[in-house]
Amino acid sequence: MNPTHIAIIMDGNGRWAESRGEPRAQGHVAGAEVVRQVVRRARERGVGHLTLFAFSTMNWGRPSDEIRALMDLFERDLIAQRPDLMAQGIRLSVIGERAYLPPSLRATLARVEEETAGLTQMHLTLAVSYDGRRDMVEAMKRVSQMVADGQLHPADVGEPLLMNALSTRDLPDVDLLIRTSGEQRLSGFLPLEACYAELVFTPRLWPEFTVEDLDEAIEEFRRRQRRFGLTRAAS
Ligand code: IPE
Ligand code: IPE
Ligand code: MG
């Protein structure tokens, strides 16, 4: 089976730039080019949902010039990519704490989300200022409010309700989660959504990741036997 939902932790931009004696921001610029290619390939491969970790809540702790360069790059790139996304029929969504983003980036994101809302060839979600635990906290607030308002009884709280309260409510569970740069951790990415995902770690730094690497990760996924807790015979 092919993965319906692929999530990628795009890591290693900084190390890539540093290894070339360039400022870290150059790594993010090179990484943005890879995003373009990977998005295109994923759509060609018939992937329904692609979710990319672009900036974590923890990343706000980085030096302010790197943060500024990243926010500028997100905005410039979104504007540049907008016609291409539309031509490819790709719907763009954003998850994360958008209130913390610069107002002009927020406005650009909202505009592209709105313009692409009806497109169905692939659903691309960018996680920006995202952290899975924080998303769970927001979900808990929504659910508790419903209980407080008398719309919901605590006994009715179940998995579907929880998953529906998350910012990823429109997405199916993650099938394949890829992380580049050799790190083997989730760093807060989609903890509930990826709880049964197949994990693929590659030593390749994100700016060096190629569409062939994406193909290879999909092949690796196809070789895996997903059991979801069942026995080999039953799954
Ligand atoms: C990933 O690359 C991009 C972001 C986190 C924004 P890094 O910037 O984390 O690169 P390394 O891990 O320091 O090499
Ligand atoms: C995770 O990468 C976040 C993104 C790729 C956007 P980090 O580089 O921030 O994660 P850690 O610090 O290695 O856990
Ligand atoms: Mg990193």
Side-chain angles (χ1 to χ4, degrees):
M1 279 252 293
N2 278 320
T4 299
H5 184 181
I6 300 182
I8 308 183
I9 302 174
M10 310 182 291
D11 197 15
N13 292 352
R15 274 165 284 170
W16 181 84
E18 282 160 11
S19 73
R20 297 158 57 101
E22 291 173 10
R24 292 176 58 87
Q26 272 311 112
H28 300 312
V29 172
E33 178 52 38
V34 175
V35 170
R36 268 192 279 282
Q37 291 162 17
V38 164
V39 166
R40 182 173 285 276
R41 180 62 140 237
R43 180 193 166 279
E44 283 166 7
R45 297 278 319 231
V47 172
H49 302 267
L50 177 67
T51 302
L52 302 177
F53 203 3
F55 192 84
S56 76
T57 301
M58 301 295 275
N59 291 149
W60 289 116
R62 293 192 178 193
S64 57
D65 59 340
E66 181 173 347
I67 294 176
R68 205 169 313 115
L70 267 167
M71 296 297 146
D72 287 351
L73 178 66
F74 290 150
E75 189 169 347
R76 260 187 289 123
D77 221 57
L78 261 172
I79 293 167
Q81 283 314 300
R82 190 180 140 264
D84 227 36
L85 288 177
M86 298 190 71
Q88 293 179 79
I90 297 174
R91 171 182 171 199
L92 180 104
S93 298
V94 180
I95 55 172
E97 303 162 310
R98 36 176 109 204
Y100 296 153
L101 302 176
S104 62
L105 173 59
R106 238 161 41 213
T108 305
L109 286 168
R111 200 179 101 206
V112 181
E113 279 185 317
E114 202 182 300
E115 285 171 343
T116 62
L119 304 180
T120 56
Q121 291 302 304
M122 185 172 82
H123 188 183
L124 170 65
T125 302
L126 297 181
V128 188
S129 189
Y130 172 87
D131 173 70
R133 274 196 204 170
R134 291 212 184 192
D135 205 40
M136 277 189 241
V137 169
E138 289 308 311
M140 284 181 71
K141 284 185 191 160
R142 275 183 212 114
V143 172
S144 356
Q145 192 61 54
M146 286 164 77
V147 172
D149 293 347
Q151 294 168 24
L152 183 74
H153 193 272
D156 297 329
V157 177
E159 280 182 37
L161 191 107
L162 169 64
M163 297 311 282
N164 257 312
L166 296 172
S167 66
T168 49
R169 65 186 72 83
D170 290 342
L171 304 175
D173 280 359
V174 176
D175 297 305
L176 167 61
L177 187 142
I178 302 168
R179 182 170 188 150
T180 58
S181 90
E183 310 300 351
Q184 302 192 357
R185 53 178 171 258
L186 295 180
S187 303
F189 196 38
L190 305 174
L192 293 178
E193 300 85 342
C195 69
Y196 265 100
E198 294 297 323
L199 309 179
V200 170
F201 298 107
T202 161
R204 218 82 73 226
L205 302 172
W206 179 251
E208 296 169 332
F209 191 81
T210 63
V211 294
E212 288 76 25
D213 292 325
L214 177 69
D215 289 345
E216 175 49 35
I218 293 174
E219 286 318 305
E220 170 67 26
F221 174 86
R222 289 165 59 90
R223 286 193 291 270
R224 303 264 179 102
Q225 193 197 23
R226 303 183 83 190
R227 288 203 282 277
F228 298 102
L230 307 181
T231 61
R232 197 188 268 265
S235 64

